[in-house]
Amino acid sequence: MTRRVAILISGRGSNMASLIEAAQAADFPAEIALVLSNRPDAEGLERAKAVGIATLAIDHKAFPDRESFDRALDAALGGHDIAFICLAGFMRVLSDWFVQRWAGRLVNIHPSLLPLYRGTRTHRRALADGVLVHGCTVHFVVPELDAGPIIAQAVVPVVPADTEESLATRVIVQEHRLYPQALRMICDGTARLENGRVVFSRGWDASGTLYSPADAERNELQ
Ligand code: GRF
């Protein structure tokens, strides 16, 4: 069964592009049915249009408060018969009303190994702390920011010469691998939210690509 998925963006949309590309595979359990942005000038909208995906801009500035914007968002998603939502660089905090309405069907990608470094400037903060591993996380969205149950993570080693930019460059490569894998798991029912925890319907190999797509890169760096 192919699930109809919406991707919500605010900017360049590189994760969006990786999801669109992955969903083109014949056996992928999701179809990217809509790309929606709260910023009409988001670069990602043009990228999605160019490959024939339906796009929509709902400018949050046109709404008096957070929830009225979220209600317009919800109506648009309903109109496109959307089953799951992927946040991909969507820079708006969603209301509790919206998050609860889409509970278990709303996921996000975050550029850190949560629960470390919620919020912004994750690469800079990781470098400042001197951590040796960093990475990215796909998680179900809950009202508390970047705090939802974890579906998949990829580990990226931090090397002494790293700058914020070099680390960001290696993390985004892993984001582009991880998000499609996680979306596949959600849409085929391998990972689902139950009582606030992620339940996996089949085991998976912790040394395999799902757990750490960075393994190959790490080995090269050693
Ligand atoms: C990514 O780093 C993602 O983890 C974060 O926002 C960034 C979006 O980048 N939530 P892009 O628009 O997908 O290129």
Side-chain angles (χ1 to χ4, degrees):
M1 184 182 181
T2 303
R3 306 301 200 131
R4 288 175 64 80
V5 169
I7 305 175
L8 270 50
I9 63 167
S10 300
R12 67 185 167 179
S14 73
N15 277 290
M16 173 208 76
S18 76
L19 291 169
I20 290 173
E21 195 187 330
Q24 279 162 359
D27 71 337
F28 201 82
E31 171 199 348
I32 308 306
L34 178 68
V35 169
L36 202 155
S37 175
N38 65 311
R39 292 191 46 165
D41 61 348
E43 202 186 317
L45 286 175
E46 294 309 316
R47 293 176 83 169
K49 265 185 220 159
V51 290
I53 309 268
T55 61
L56 196 59
I58 303 181
D59 190 344
H60 65 271
K61 294 202 245 19
F63 295 84
D65 54 43
R66 200 172 289 285
E67 193 162 319
S68 56
F69 167 73
D70 286 2
R71 286 189 186 272
L73 203 59
D74 182 67
L77 295 162
H80 283 80
D81 198 20
I82 297 302
F84 288 95
I85 303 170
C86 291
L87 304 182
F90 185 65
M91 301 304 284
R92 286 286 298 168
V93 173
L94 293 161
S95 62
D96 290 4
W97 172 81
F98 186 93
V99 170
Q100 268 145 21
R101 187 168 167 79
W102 285 88
R105 301 180 296 150
L106 172 60
V107 296
N108 180 44
I109 188 155
H110 183 76
S112 79
L113 291 174
L114 290 173
L116 288 172
Y117 310 121
R118 293 173 180 168
T120 58
R121 293 288 184 189
T122 57
H123 309 312
R124 177 184 292 190
R125 288 153 63 206
L127 287 174
D129 284 346
V131 296
L132 298 181
V133 289
H134 186 46
C136 51
T137 303
V138 178
H139 63 93
F140 283 109
V141 175
V142 296
E144 192 183 342
L145 198 65
D146 301 328
I150 293 169
I151 300 159
Q153 293 186 302
V155 176
V156 174
V158 179
V159 295
D162 264 331
T163 61
E164 200 177 340
E165 292 70 32
S166 68
L167 189 53
T169 301
R170 289 208 310 292
V171 171
I172 199 90
V173 170
Q174 299 309 325
E175 292 187 37
H176 296 164
R177 294 183 185 190
L178 191 71
Y179 214 174
Q181 290 176 322
L183 180 61
R184 177 185 281 278
M185 291 165 66
I186 299 152
C187 288
D188 72 9
T190 302
R192 59 187 194 283
L193 189 64
E194 262 183 41
N195 303 320
R197 312 267 314 176
V198 179
V199 175
F200 296 94
S201 68
R202 59 179 162 81
W204 39 269
D205 178 4
S207 67
T209 57
L210 184 61
Y211 175 66
S212 175
D215 280 350
E217 280 80 354
R218 182 163 53 242
N219 291 339
E220 274 165 29
L221 284 164
Q222 276 168 355

Short mmCIF file of all heavy atoms in Angstrom, two decimals, residues 9-16 47 87-91 108-111 123 136 172 175-176, ligand 1:
data_model
loop_
_atom_site.label_atom_id
_atom_site.label_comp_id
_atom_site.label_asym_id
_atom_site.label_seq_id
_atom_site.Cartn_x
_atom_site.Cartn_y
_atom_site.Cartn_z
N ILE A 9 8.31 22.27 4.24
CA ILE A 9 9.62 22.90 4.16
C ILE A 9 9.51 24.40 4.42
O ILE A 9 8.42 24.97 4.37
CB ILE A 9 10.28 22.68 2.77
CG1 ILE A 9 9.43 23.35 1.67
CG2 ILE A 9 10.47 21.20 2.47
CD1 ILE A 9 10.14 23.46 0.32
N SER A 10 10.69 25.01 4.66
CA SER A 10 10.75 26.47 4.71
C SER A 10 11.90 27.01 3.87
O SER A 10 12.01 28.22 3.69
CB SER A 10 10.94 26.97 6.15
OG SER A 10 9.88 26.56 6.97
N GLY A 11 12.77 26.12 3.40
CA GLY A 11 13.98 26.61 2.74
C GLY A 11 14.40 25.83 1.52
O GLY A 11 13.58 25.53 0.65
N ARG A 12 15.69 25.43 1.51
CA ARG A 12 16.27 24.88 0.28
C ARG A 12 15.70 23.51 -0.10
O ARG A 12 15.67 23.14 -1.27
CB ARG A 12 17.79 24.81 0.40
CG ARG A 12 18.23 23.80 1.43
CD ARG A 12 19.70 23.77 1.69
NE ARG A 12 19.91 22.99 2.90
CZ ARG A 12 21.06 22.71 3.44
NH1 ARG A 12 22.15 23.15 2.89
NH2 ARG A 12 21.13 21.98 4.53
N GLY A 13 15.34 22.71 0.89
CA GLY A 13 14.67 21.45 0.57
C GLY A 13 15.57 20.33 0.10
O GLY A 13 15.16 19.52 -0.73
N SER A 14 16.79 20.23 0.65
CA SER A 14 17.64 19.12 0.20
C SER A 14 17.13 17.78 0.75
O SER A 14 17.19 16.76 0.05
CB SER A 14 19.11 19.36 0.57
OG SER A 14 19.33 19.19 1.94
N ASN A 15 16.63 17.76 1.98
CA ASN A 15 16.02 16.51 2.49
C ASN A 15 14.77 16.17 1.70
O ASN A 15 14.51 15.00 1.41
CB ASN A 15 15.70 16.64 3.98
CG ASN A 15 16.91 16.35 4.83
OD1 ASN A 15 17.35 15.20 4.92
ND2 ASN A 15 17.47 17.39 5.44
N MET A 16 13.99 17.18 1.37
CA MET A 16 12.82 16.96 0.52
C MET A 16 13.21 16.27 -0.77
O MET A 16 12.58 15.29 -1.18
CB MET A 16 12.17 18.33 0.21
CG MET A 16 11.06 18.29 -0.79
SD MET A 16 10.91 19.86 -1.69
CE MET A 16 12.29 19.75 -2.84
N ARG A 47 12.10 23.36 -6.72
CA ARG A 47 12.70 22.04 -6.96
C ARG A 47 11.62 20.97 -7.07
O ARG A 47 11.71 20.07 -7.90
CB ARG A 47 13.66 21.67 -5.82
CG ARG A 47 14.88 22.52 -5.75
CD ARG A 47 15.73 22.17 -4.56
NE ARG A 47 16.61 21.02 -4.80
CZ ARG A 47 17.58 20.66 -3.98
NH1 ARG A 47 17.80 21.34 -2.86
NH2 ARG A 47 18.34 19.63 -4.25
N LEU A 87 8.42 16.66 8.23
CA LEU A 87 8.98 18.00 8.34
C LEU A 87 10.42 17.94 7.86
O LEU A 87 11.19 17.06 8.28
CB LEU A 87 8.94 18.48 9.80
CG LEU A 87 7.58 18.46 10.50
CD1 LEU A 87 7.71 19.01 11.92
CD2 LEU A 87 6.55 19.26 9.72
N ALA A 88 10.79 18.83 6.97
CA ALA A 88 12.15 18.81 6.42
C ALA A 88 12.64 20.25 6.33
O ALA A 88 12.49 20.92 5.31
CB ALA A 88 12.15 18.13 5.04
N GLY A 89 13.19 20.72 7.45
CA GLY A 89 13.62 22.11 7.49
C GLY A 89 12.42 23.05 7.55
O GLY A 89 12.46 24.15 7.01
N PHE A 90 11.36 22.62 8.22
CA PHE A 90 10.16 23.46 8.38
C PHE A 90 10.37 24.30 9.64
O PHE A 90 10.44 23.76 10.74
CB PHE A 90 8.92 22.57 8.51
CG PHE A 90 7.63 23.32 8.56
CD1 PHE A 90 7.19 24.05 7.46
CD2 PHE A 90 6.83 23.30 9.69
CE1 PHE A 90 5.99 24.74 7.49
CE2 PHE A 90 5.62 23.98 9.74
CZ PHE A 90 5.20 24.70 8.62
N MET A 91 10.51 25.60 9.46
CA MET A 91 10.98 26.46 10.55
C MET A 91 9.83 27.14 11.31
O MET A 91 9.95 28.29 11.72
CB MET A 91 11.96 27.52 10.01
CG MET A 91 13.18 26.93 9.32
SD MET A 91 14.10 25.79 10.38
CE MET A 91 14.92 26.97 11.45
N ASN A 108 9.99 14.28 11.95
CA ASN A 108 10.92 15.37 11.68
C ASN A 108 12.33 14.82 11.60
O ASN A 108 12.63 13.77 12.20
CB ASN A 108 10.85 16.38 12.84
CG ASN A 108 11.78 17.56 12.66
OD1 ASN A 108 11.89 18.13 11.57
ND2 ASN A 108 12.49 17.93 13.71
N ILE A 109 13.19 15.52 10.89
CA ILE A 109 14.62 15.19 10.94
C ILE A 109 15.35 16.34 11.62
O ILE A 109 15.07 17.52 11.36
CB ILE A 109 15.22 14.88 9.55
CG1 ILE A 109 16.66 14.36 9.71
CG2 ILE A 109 15.14 16.06 8.59
CD1 ILE A 109 17.14 13.49 8.58
N HIS A 110 16.27 15.95 12.51
CA HIS A 110 16.99 16.95 13.29
C HIS A 110 18.49 16.68 13.18
O HIS A 110 18.92 15.53 13.30
CB HIS A 110 16.54 16.87 14.76
CG HIS A 110 17.18 17.92 15.61
ND1 HIS A 110 16.78 19.24 15.60
CD2 HIS A 110 18.21 17.85 16.48
CE1 HIS A 110 17.53 19.93 16.43
NE2 HIS A 110 18.42 19.13 16.98
N PRO A 111 19.30 17.74 13.00
CA PRO A 111 20.73 17.52 12.77
C PRO A 111 21.56 17.36 14.05
O PRO A 111 22.50 18.11 14.28
CB PRO A 111 21.13 18.76 11.97
CG PRO A 111 20.21 19.82 12.47
CD PRO A 111 18.92 19.14 12.80
N HIS A 123 25.56 21.93 15.14
CA HIS A 123 26.94 21.57 14.80
C HIS A 123 27.93 22.42 15.61
O HIS A 123 28.92 21.92 16.14
CB HIS A 123 27.20 21.72 13.30
CG HIS A 123 26.16 21.03 12.47
ND1 HIS A 123 25.77 19.73 12.71
CD2 HIS A 123 25.42 21.44 11.41
CE1 HIS A 123 24.84 19.38 11.85
NE2 HIS A 123 24.60 20.41 11.05
N CYS A 136 22.50 12.67 13.18
CA CYS A 136 21.16 13.15 12.90
C CYS A 136 20.14 12.12 13.37
O CYS A 136 20.46 10.95 13.56
CB CYS A 136 20.98 13.47 11.42
SG CYS A 136 21.49 12.14 10.31
N ILE A 172 24.70 16.28 6.68
CA ILE A 172 23.57 16.35 5.73
C ILE A 172 23.60 15.15 4.77
O ILE A 172 22.55 14.65 4.37
CB ILE A 172 23.51 17.71 4.98
CG1 ILE A 172 22.12 17.94 4.37
CG2 ILE A 172 24.56 17.82 3.90
CD1 ILE A 172 21.16 18.64 5.23
N GLU A 175 21.79 12.65 6.63
CA GLU A 175 20.36 12.98 6.68
C GLU A 175 19.67 12.46 5.42
O GLU A 175 18.58 11.89 5.48
CB GLU A 175 20.15 14.49 6.80
CG GLU A 175 20.60 15.07 8.13
CD GLU A 175 20.21 16.54 8.28
OE1 GLU A 175 19.13 16.93 7.83
OE2 GLU A 175 21.00 17.30 8.87
N HIS A 176 20.33 12.67 4.29
CA HIS A 176 19.72 12.29 3.02
C HIS A 176 19.58 10.78 2.88
O HIS A 176 18.74 10.30 2.13
CB HIS A 176 20.53 12.87 1.85
CG HIS A 176 20.52 14.37 1.83
ND1 HIS A 176 21.41 15.12 1.11
CD2 HIS A 176 19.72 15.25 2.48
CE1 HIS A 176 21.16 16.41 1.31
NE2 HIS A 176 20.14 16.51 2.13
C1 GRF B 1 18.38 19.99 7.96
O1 GRF B 1 19.64 20.05 8.55
C2 GRF B 1 17.38 19.36 8.90
O2 GRF B 1 17.94 18.39 9.73
C3 GRF B 1 16.92 20.53 9.71
O3 GRF B 1 16.86 21.59 8.80
C4 GRF B 1 17.77 21.37 7.74
C5 GRF B 1 16.98 21.46 6.47
O4 GRF B 1 17.79 21.41 5.33
N1 GRF B 1 15.68 20.24 10.37
P1 GRF B 1 17.15 21.15 3.91
O5 GRF B 1 16.13 22.26 3.66
O6 GRF B 1 16.51 19.81 3.92
O7 GRF B 1 18.28 21.24 2.94
#
